[in-house]
Amino acid sequence: MSGVSKRLVTAAAAVLGSLVTAAPASAAPSIDWTPCADAPGVECGAVTVPIDWAHPDRGTASISLARRKATDPRARIGSVLMDPGGPGGAGAGEVKGGWSLSPEITQRFDTVGFDPRGIGGSTQIKCGLDEVIADHPEVPHNQAEFDQLAAYNRKLGESCNRLSGPLGQFADTESVARDMDAIRAALGEKKLTYYGVSYGTLMGQQYAELFPDKVRALVLDSNMDHSQFTASGFLDSETRSLQAEFGEFVKWCGRTPSCALHGRDVSKLTRDLQDKAARGELKDPRSEEVITPLSLSSIIQGSFYGPSWDRLATVLKSFADGTPPAASVRLKDDIPVNTVFQSVFCDDWRLPVHSYAELEAYRRTAAAFAPDVKVNSLGWQAVTACIGWPNRTSNPQHPLQVHGAPPLLMLSSEYDPATPYAWSQAAARQSGSTLLTYDGWGHGAYGKNSPCVIKATDDYLITGKLPARGTHCAAVEPGSAGARIAGPKPPSASGF
C-alpha cells in the first residue's frame, strides 16, 4: 500500500441499529468542568449518553468536551457548540488547540467543542491494526481486485464489531445529533447555538430535523447533501466540483507571476503527469515513491482546501521536471488518520456498487468530464470504503426536512473541493434555509479572510438576523502556502 494510501485508510466499526424516536435530554446533569491538563485556559468535561438512544439501558458512552469561556462575561449570550467535520474530526481537541470563531463571537459566547461518539477523547471505536494496515487495491483493475477490496472492508468491519462492542453499532450521525441535545441540556442552554463545518453540517441538519424547537441559531458551513442517493451521482458531483476549482487554479497561475508554473500550460502539464502516473512511471523526486493517479488527485485536492495553490504549483513543477522541491514544501499537510470514517460514513450513506464493471464505469465517466483531476479522491474513498462493509446502513439518505425551527444560515464557497456548492444549494432549497455564498475558493467559507462572510455570520449568531437571500461575498485572493487563515482553523484536508 502506498504512503498516500496509508494516510487515507480508515478504521471502522459495525453500524447495525435502527432509526429511533427522539429521546428528551432535559434531565441531563450539569457538566463537571475542570482545567484541561494539556491546554491552559481551557476547561474539560464530559457528558454520558446512551449508546442506543432507543434502549438507554444497553450501555453508555462518554462524550468529551472542551470549553473556552467568553472573554467578556458581562456581554455573554451563552455557549456555541462546534464541530470541525470528518467523519472523525475531534471538536474538543480542536478547541484545545485554539480553534474558535471571531473575537466578536468569543467575547459573547463560551466556545464548546465536542468529540463525537467513537472519536478522540470520547469513548472510542477501535478496530484491529492488522485489518487496518492490510494491503488492498485502492482502484481495482478487475473483478478479482474488486473482490479483494470488498474482502478487506468486510474483515475490517468485522474487527471493529469484535473490538468495539455495542458502540460500533451506533456511530451514525442521527445518534450524534441526539448526543448534541444532551450536551445542550447539560450546558444549561434552553436552545442550541451551533457552528458546524463540512460533515459537521450533517450533524446540524439532523439536529434541526429532530429538535426544531430547541434551535436558537445554526450555522452550517460547506454542507453535505444527504439526498445524494447513488454512488455515481455522489462521485460525479464531487469530481465536477474539484475540476472546477482546478480551472480556477489555472487562471490564478496565469495571472500570478510568483506561481511556479506561470507561463506554462498548467492543464497540459497536469494531464501529462496523470498519463505518466497511469503508466506507473511517475515518482516523487525526493523519495522515489511511485505516485498513482489517485495519489496525484489526492495531492491536488489537499492543496485546494486552503487553498494552497502556490504549494501545488511547486509540487507539480517538481514532478514534471523530475527535481525535488525545496525542503520546506510538503506534498500534503500532516494529517491524522480518521479512524472512524467508515463506521460513520457507511452508517449514514447507502451507495451500493455491485461489481468491478460498475465501479469502472463510474471512474471512466468522472475522468471524461474531469480531464485534469480525473476523480475526486475523497469521493472515491467514500464510495469504495463501503464496498463489502458487513453491516447495513441505519441512517440512510433522505431530503432535508426541517419544520418548526427558526431560520438556519448555510455558508458555502463557490469552488469547494470536498462539499460541492451544489450540495449547499440543495440543502438550502430542501430546508428553506438562507444560503450565503462566498464567491471564492476552498473548504470552510467562514475561514477565508472574508470580512463579509464573518460579519454576516457573526450578526446571525448574535442577533438571529439573517443576511438577505441571495447574498454573495466577494472572493479574497489566496495567500501564500504559509499564511494562516483568519478565523477558525480550516477543516482537515482528509475528509468532509
Side-chain angles (χ1 to χ4, degrees), residues 61-63 115-120 122-126 167 171 339-340:
S62 177
I63 306 300
D115 294 351
R117 53 174 56 208
I119 296 165
S122 298
T123 304
Q124 292 187 353
I125 291 172
K126 298 180 180 180
L167 177 62
T339 56
V340 299

Side-chain angles (χ1 to χ4, degrees), residues 65-397:
L65 306 172
R67 175 176 73 173
R68 289 183 183 271
K69 285 190 171 182
T71 58
D72 185 354
R74 294 174 298 178
R76 181 182 180 276
I77 295 172
S79 300
V80 56
L81 187 66
M82 295 173 55
D83 181 87
E94 294 285 4
V95 167
K96 287 195 287 184
W99 186 44
S100 70
L101 300 180
S102 74
E104 185 71 17
I105 297 303
T106 57
Q107 177 186 11
R108 296 168 178 261
F109 289 89
D110 297 343
T111 301
V112 180
F114 75 105
D115 294 351
R117 53 174 56 208
I119 296 165
S122 298
T123 304
Q124 292 187 353
I125 291 172
K126 298 180 180 180
C127 306
L129 178 60
D130 288 345
E131 289 80 5
V132 171
I133 65 175
D135 194 19
H136 63 283
E138 292 181 302
V139 182
H141 294 91
N142 50 51
Q143 184 61 40
E145 290 191 359
F146 181 91
D147 294 340
Q148 183 184 349
L149 173 61
Y152 166 83
N153 289 334
R154 183 182 68 254
K155 291 177 181 178
L156 177 58
E158 289 170 351
S159 79
C160 304
N161 293 346
R162 184 174 66 251
L163 296 174
S164 297
L167 177 62
Q169 302 177 17
F170 298 96
D172 61 285
T173 295
E174 182 181 325
S175 293
V176 174
R178 300 181 191 283
D179 298 344
M180 290 166 59
D181 199 53
I183 296 170
R184 173 202 60 76
L187 289 170
E189 301 288 350
K190 293 182 179 180
K191 297 191 175 184
L192 180 69
T193 302
Y194 175 72
Y195 172 85
V197 60
S198 199
Y199 213 79
T201 64
L202 188 58
M203 301 173 191
Q205 290 172 15
Q206 297 207 325
Y207 184 91
E209 287 183 311
L210 292 168
F211 306 103
D213 60 326
K214 295 295 192 293
V215 171
R216 178 187 171 274
L218 302 187
V219 176
L220 307 178
D221 187 347
S222 307
N223 281 262
M224 302 298 295
D225 174 14
H226 207 218
S227 69
Q228 293 279 324
F229 285 105
T230 67
S232 59
F234 186 94
L235 186 60
D236 285 357
S237 61
E238 284 274 81
T239 303
R240 289 183 189 278
S241 185
L242 188 64
Q243 178 67 30
E245 186 167 350
F246 186 89
E248 293 296 297
F249 163 66
V250 172
K251 294 176 186 176
W252 170 84
C253 206
R255 67 175 181 264
T256 307
S258 63
C259 172
L261 296 175
H262 183 67
R264 299 176 71 169
D265 188 334
V266 178
S267 181
K268 181 180 184 304
L269 179 146
T270 303
R271 296 181 194 191
D272 289 345
L273 291 176
Q274 289 282 11
D275 291 343
K276 193 172 182 181
R279 297 193 301 268
E281 299 172 358
L282 182 62
K283 294 184 179 181
D284 178 354
R286 293 178 301 185
S287 66
E288 292 301 305
E289 177 185 5
V290 174
I291 303 297
T292 68
L294 189 63
S295 300
L296 183 57
S297 293
S298 179
I299 290 167
I300 293 170
Q301 181 171 17
S303 296
F304 283 177
Y305 276 65
S308 298
W309 288 346
D310 54 348
R311 179 180 64 190
L312 175 60
T314 300
V315 170
L316 294 178
K317 183 177 185 298
S318 76
F319 286 174
D321 297 347
T323 56
S328 61
V329 176
R330 296 175 292 176
L331 296 186
K332 294 183 72 177
D333 291 329
D334 295 326
I335 301 168
V337 174
N338 285 341
T339 56
V340 299
F341 187 99
Q342 284 157 290
S343 65
V344 178
F345 189 86
C346 300
D347 205 7
D348 286 338
W349 299 81
R350 183 181 295 132
L351 300 170
V353 182
H354 303 94
S355 67
Y356 161 73
E358 182 181 351
L359 182 63
E360 178 65 5
Y362 297 159
R363 187 192 68 79
R364 289 180 178 274
T365 298
F369 61 71
D372 299 300
V373 301
K374 299 300 185 183
V375 73
N376 184 301
S377 58
L378 176 59
W380 182 267
Q381 177 198 4
V383 168
T384 59
C386 300
I387 295 172
W389 192 249
N391 306 295
R392 71 180 182 87
T393 302
S394 71
N395 182 37
Q397 304 95 297

Side-chain angles (χ1 to χ4, degrees), residues 472-486:
H472 285 243
C473 290
V476 177
E477 195 76 0
S480 67
R484 282 188 62 86
I485 302 291

Side-chain angles (χ1 to χ4, degrees), residues 15-74:
V15 288
L16 297 173
S18 60
L19 294 173
V20 294
T21 56
S26 58
S30 61
I31 300 165
D32 182 17
W33 295 106
T34 58
C36 297
D38 55 348
V42 182
E43 295 177 318
C44 287
V47 297
T48 300
V49 299
I51 290 175
D52 179 357
W53 277 96
H55 301 93
D57 58 332
R58 295 183 178 177
T60 61
S62 177
I63 306 300
S64 179
L65 306 172
R67 175 176 73 173
R68 289 183 183 271
K69 285 190 171 182
T71 58
D72 185 354
R74 294 174 298 178

